[in-house]
Amino acid sequence: MSRWGITLPLTGVPLAAHRDLVKELPDLGFTDVWSAETAGTDAFTPLALAAEWAPELRLGTAIVPVYTRGPGLLAMSAATMAELAPGRFALGIGTSSPTIVEGWNGIDFDQPFHRMRDTLRFLRSALAGDKVTEKYGTFEITKFRLERPPAQPPEIMLAALRPGMLKLAAREADGAITNWLGAGDVPTVRAEVGPDLELVARIFVCPTEDAAAARALGRLLISSYLTVPAYAAFHDWLGRGDELKPMHDAWAAGDRAGANAAIPDSVVDDLIVHGSVDHCRERVQSYVDAGLTTPAIAVLPTGADPIETVRALAPRP
C-alpha cells in the first residue's frame, strides 16, 4: 500500500480547529497522521483526537523522547492510544536532544543508544501485558504490569540517524524514523535497514514559488537543527560535512547570522521542499521513489492558509 502522511498539528491552527480537515484526510488520499513533541503540543493528544475524528487513519508519534516519560508512563500512554486506535497506532520513540532532555526537562541525557535499546525491550514486554521485573542497563523495573494492556500491541519504531541506531531498528523494531534528509540520501539510509523495514521520514515542505523566502526560512531551521551534534554527525555521514563546515564554524563562534548565510543554496534545496504545490508533491514522491516507505509531510508557514495547503498537497490519484 502506498502511504502519504501529514504532520499535525499545523502551525498557527488551534488544535480543535483541525477537526474538519482530519475528517477529510482519508478522502483526500492521506493514509497517516504523525505528531511531534518538542515544546508545542505533546505527541499523544493530537492523535487521540484524530482517532475519533477519522477512524480510517493510521496514527504515529514521530517522536516521543525515551527520557522525558518514565518507562511505565510511556507504556501507559502507548497502550491508551493503541486502545483508541487498535491496529492503527505506531509508537515512534527517540532519544531527542540534550537541549530538550536536559535543558528543558532537567533530566540527564546519558547513554542514548542504550537508553533507546532498553526502552524498546521494556515496551515490548509491557505492551504484551507481561509483568516486568528487569534490570536493564540504564534503568531497573520492578513488578510493572499494565492494567489495560492493548488487545493489539502497537508497532514500535525507532528514530534513527546513523548506522548503529538504524541497525538496532532493523534488528528489534518494526520500523525506523528519520528526519532532515534529501531524497538523494534515502538510498544511504535504506541500505542500513534493508529492503523490507518500514522507513518513515518527516519531509519539510514550503509550498511557495518565492525561492528567496523559502530558503531564508530553511536556513533558520537548518542552522537550528543541524548544529545539534546528532544531526551534525548524521550529515557528516551523508557526506555534507565540508558543505556545512562554514555554518558550524560560524555557529561555534556565536555568529548566528553568519551561520545562516554560510549554508549553500544547494543544501537548502536538498533538505527543504519548496516551489509550486505540484512541484512539492513531485519532490515528496521522489523520496518514495528512492526507497522511503512513509513520507510525513511537515508544512512550513508561507502566509497561505495551512489547511488549504494540506488539501492541495494531497496525493494525485
Side-chain angles (χ1 to χ4, degrees):
M1 175 184 180
S2 179
R3 311 210 69 86
W4 199 262
I6 189 74
T7 300
L8 297 181
L10 299 169
T11 301
V13 180
L15 194 53
H18 286 71
R19 179 177 179 174
D20 290 345
L21 173 65
V22 171
K23 286 185 171 183
E24 190 180 348
L25 288 175
D27 289 337
L28 289 171
F30 288 92
T31 60
D32 292 48
V33 164
W34 292 84
S35 63
E37 187 169 282
T38 50
T41 62
D42 73 283
F44 292 103
T45 303
L47 299 185
L49 292 169
E52 290 299 298
W53 292 340
E56 307 96 323
L57 290 170
R58 183 202 195 197
L59 311 170
T61 59
I63 52 83
V64 176
V66 295
Y67 291 95
T68 53
R69 291 175 179 80
L73 178 58
L74 183 53
M76 287 187 285
S77 298
T80 302
M81 272 305 310
E83 181 177 331
L84 280 172
R88 297 186 294 111
F89 173 59
L91 175 66
I93 57 174
T95 59
S96 190
S97 70
T99 295
I100 292 172
V101 175
E102 295 184 339
W104 299 352
N105 287 281
I107 299 167
D108 289 340
F109 188 80
D110 188 38
Q111 296 183 275
F113 177 87
H114 296 95
R115 180 66 179 234
M116 182 86 103
R117 182 200 61 197
D118 295 345
T119 302
L120 169 63
R121 292 174 179 176
F122 164 75
L123 288 170
R124 285 287 194 213
S125 298
L127 291 168
D130 298 343
K131 186 175 184 178
V132 182
T133 295
E134 186 74 39
K135 288 185 178 180
Y136 298 93
T138 56
F139 55 83
E140 182 175 349
I141 303 295
T142 303
K143 298 179 181 178
F144 176 84
R145 175 177 283 162
L146 284 168
E147 292 180 5
R148 299 169 69 98
Q152 185 171 348
E155 297 172 310
I156 303 176
M157 300 189 176
L158 300 189
L161 297 175
R162 286 182 290 158
M165 202 72 84
L166 288 164
K167 286 183 167 62
L168 176 64
R171 288 194 308 269
E172 299 194 32
D174 300 303
I177 300 169
T178 193
N179 197 10
W180 280 111
L181 78 170
D185 302 319
V186 173
T188 302
V189 176
R190 171 58 73 188
E192 299 296 328
V193 299
D196 300 322
L197 191 78
E198 181 173 6
L199 182 61
V200 181
R202 177 161 287 115
I203 302 172
F204 296 94
V205 178
C206 189
T208 176
E209 295 186 63
D210 185 342
R215 287 172 179 154
L217 177 56
R219 284 186 167 88
L220 287 171
L221 293 170
I222 288 168
S223 66
S224 298
Y225 277 87
L226 269 56
T227 51
V228 173
Y231 282 109
F234 179 45
H235 283 273
D236 283 347
W237 175 59
L238 291 174
R240 290 195 183 89
D242 289 343
E243 289 179 287
L244 292 173
K245 187 177 185 301
M247 177 195 74
H248 289 298
D249 290 345
W251 188 270
D255 182 2
R256 303 301 188 249
N260 290 338
I263 303 168
D265 283 354
S266 59
V267 171
V268 181
D269 294 347
D270 271 352
L271 303 181
I272 303 292
V273 172
H274 62 92
S276 69
V277 168
D278 287 341
H279 178 71
C280 288
R281 191 187 303 104
E282 291 169 3
R283 283 281 311 280
V284 173
Q285 182 62 45
S286 73
Y287 283 77
V288 177
D289 295 341
L292 185 69
T293 315
T294 307
I297 295 168
V299 176
L300 299 180
T302 64
D305 180 348
I307 290 177
E308 290 303 321
T309 298
V310 171
R311 291 181 175 130
L313 288 169
R316 290 299 187 213

